[in-house]
Amino acid sequence: MANLEVAIGSLTLKNPVMLASGTSGSGEELHGLLQLDRVGAVVTKTVTLEPREGHPPPRTVETASGMVNAIGLANMGADAFIAEKLPPLVATGATVIASVAGFAEEEWGELAAKMDAAEGVSAVELNLSCPNTGEEKLIAQDPAQITAAVSKARAATSKPVIAKLTPNVTDIAGPAVAAADAGADAVTVANTLQALVVDWRRKKSRLGAPQGGFSGPAVKPHILYLVNRAAAGVNIPVIASGGIMTVEDVCEYLCVGASAVQIGTATFVDPSAAMKILDKLEPLLVSLGAEKLADYVGSYA
Amino acid sequence: MFQENLIVGSNENVTGDYYLMHLEIGEREEETAIASAAKPGQFVQVRVHEGTAPLLRRPFTFYKARKRFFEILYKISGEGTRALCRYNKGERVDVVGPLGNGFTLVPDVDEHLLVAGGSGLASMYLLSRMCGRSPAKTVLLLGAQNKDDVPMRRSVAQDFDGLAIPIQVWTNDGSLGNTGFVTKALEKILQDAAKMRFAVYASGPIGMLRKVAELTTPFGIPTQISLEQHIACGLGVCEGCVVKTKDDSGSGYAYRKVCSDGPVFDPAIFEGYWDEIVEP
Ligand SMILES: Cc1cc2nc3c(=O)[nH]c(=O)nc-3n(C[C@H](O)[C@H](O)[C@H](O)COP(=O)(O)OP(=O)(O)OC[C@H]3O[C@@H](n4cnc5c(N)ncnc54)[C@H](O)[C@@H]3O)c2cc1C
Ligand SMILES: Cc1cc2nc3c(=O)[nH]c(=O)nc-3n(C[C@H](O)[C@H](O)[C@H](O)COP(=O)(O)O)c2cc1C
Ligand code: FES
């Protein structure tokens, strides 16, 4: 038996396979298709202080081995989430990581404080990188803003804080270091890639919004590169998110330095993808000679 | 909601671009949980291809559902449905369902009017059977561009023959049945028998659904329409499939999810928003 446990700050996850934010709702919708208490953690859909209606449809377009979405961070707001969605999810026995996004600097502290008080939330992921808010520049593209947001959240909660970064930067090491220095317990690499899907006849976006975020298996080689760069730059765990479909994809990420992974678009393709991966991960690590997960993480030459 | 790996019993051309796929449970099992729970108007998310292109599942409504199998009636309209039609007898297909809210039987009416456009016929067989359980008469109005878009052939035709309900076929070019829009037929029926109590159920292109709603909702005729939009998860988790509707108070608007709030809706909620709903 290989030990699959992984530590994110003070939190120990039973295994490194999480469900990514925005692709598993509040978890509960997947009940029956997936044992939520088996995955390492469920990262819930990003919530903001106020409810957001999101972008006009269409909101998703399939592309070659991937998809582009412009959901626009549609959510019911942090308070409604905590009151309505969180309790049934916690009742399933799942380890819950709550994803939040602020706009003004103070909001990161307010949101982290709400999640600090929320029973059943084990950690907070800061979505510094949503490409769908209409902001010109993403917070995760600006180390100064990363520092500000992470510091505010860090001060407001004793629960582990994870900074989710954007792949849309020239060098991911800068943002990763900024997050670590500001007190993040881990970084997630990465959110979706900024993308266009074009209706050239109508000379318009195929989405209701002018642009969207690109995800799915097509993005994996690029995110592997970023995870490897980030892992070399920081001493905190790097959580990989990008195009994972199979256990082999997970091993690629672990090998280049990820301590844990998140399953996103794959859940749409196969709602039980995370469980299928988990079934195979432990025996696979054993066959690779690893007694514990950490033996294999970062083993890439 | 269940995920099952079912066996293709058959996957045959019905006519033109239409195919009928029969998916059944293995010999050793009693029933497919999906088929056993299926209601008219609900749908399944089908993994049309094992690889990554096409990537996402494709949604199809239940054409027929029994204990040990269900069938989908689909039209080839792109890469995903083309991949689906390549499955051979004996191969396995991964399916998730039943999903969404289907049609509900309207009580205390004289006649159930079923209006289908093109591939909208797919949900009408189960629906007709459900309506057949009420004492009211059931009539099917089937519209299409032309005769190639009327999948009322082979086993589908036999299935509907078995129901023994009146069926009117309307094609825009008159190549089969009556000439004109199927909604014209609906309009005439509603006018000719203004005293009858009708319930209307419709599935088809957005334009047809809009016309149906305009003919029924102002007159308080109970109506249910099945709407299609691009589906990513099909499970209500991604917020991707929304359409703009009136909100619950009726004073503002709200986005509702086709996959989990629908796909069957009361069309009254779209009043004022039809122009913003695009054909997927
Ligand atoms: C709830 C529901 C039930 C449906 N039931 C049936 C049925 O029983 N029989 C049938 O023939 N068709 C049905 N459809 C439509 C069917 O899902 C699409 O025709 C199919 O997804 C097209 O895929 P494609 O790859 O062949 O086409 P493409 O156009 O190449 O597909 C590209 C993308 O657009 C989406 N898309 C394209 N057309 C539609 C559409 N009309 N509705 C939703 N998404 C679309 C696809 O899912 C895919 O993500 C249903 C749609 C919905 C939403
Ligand atoms: C439809 C959709 C919605 C998403 N919503 C969120 C979100 O609310 N918050 C967030 O941090 N990431 C969100 N993401 C990004 C995913 O969590 C993930 O980081 C990204 O899709 C890359 O991983 P994948 O290729 O495995 O999907 C969303 C992705 C998709 C496809
Ligand atoms: S398709 Fe994901 S919520 Fe409807």
Side-chain angles (χ1 to χ4, degrees), chain B residues 30-64:
Chain B
E30 282 256 309
E31 57 176 33
T32 104
I34 295 176
S36 300
K39 295 198 184 72
Q42 286 189 303
F43 68 101
V44 284
Q45 277 274 78
V46 180
R47 182 95 189 253
V48 292
H49 177 67
E50 282 294 321
T52 63
L55 178 69
L56 299 171
R57 285 170 187 257
R58 298 292 190 263
F60 302 96
T61 196
F62 292 101
Y63 168 69
K64 199 188 255 187

Side-chain angles (χ1 to χ4, degrees), chain B residues 98-159:
Chain B
L99 301 168
N101 297 304
F103 293 102
T104 47
L105 189 68
V106 180
D108 305 325
V109 295
D110 303 312
E111 199 164 307
H112 300 291
L113 290 173
L114 280 44
V115 188
S119 63
L121 178 65
S123 56
M124 294 297 159
Y125 178 73
L126 271 192
L127 179 60
S128 305
R129 283 176 57 105
M130 180 171 81
C131 292
R133 275 185 250 127
S134 87
K137 187 180 165 193
T138 301
V139 175
L140 173 62
L141 309 176
L142 174 55
Q145 300 282 352
N146 54 53
K147 69 173 182 354
D148 293 331
D149 204 27
V150 183
M152 193 57 95
R153 299 281 290 278
R154 296 167 171 241
S155 59
V156 177
Q158 282 169 21
D159 288 336

Side-chain angles (χ1 to χ4, degrees), chain B residues 152-187:
Chain B
M152 193 57 95
R153 299 281 290 278
R154 296 167 171 241
S155 59
V156 177
Q158 282 169 21
D159 288 336
F160 279 94
D161 279 349
L163 294 172
I165 57 168
I167 299 173
Q168 284 187 29
V169 176
W170 291 75
T171 52
N172 298 355
D173 68 354
S175 53
L176 191 71
N178 308 289
T179 307
F181 289 116
V182 67
T183 44
K184 264 271 170 250
L186 175 68
E187 190 171 9

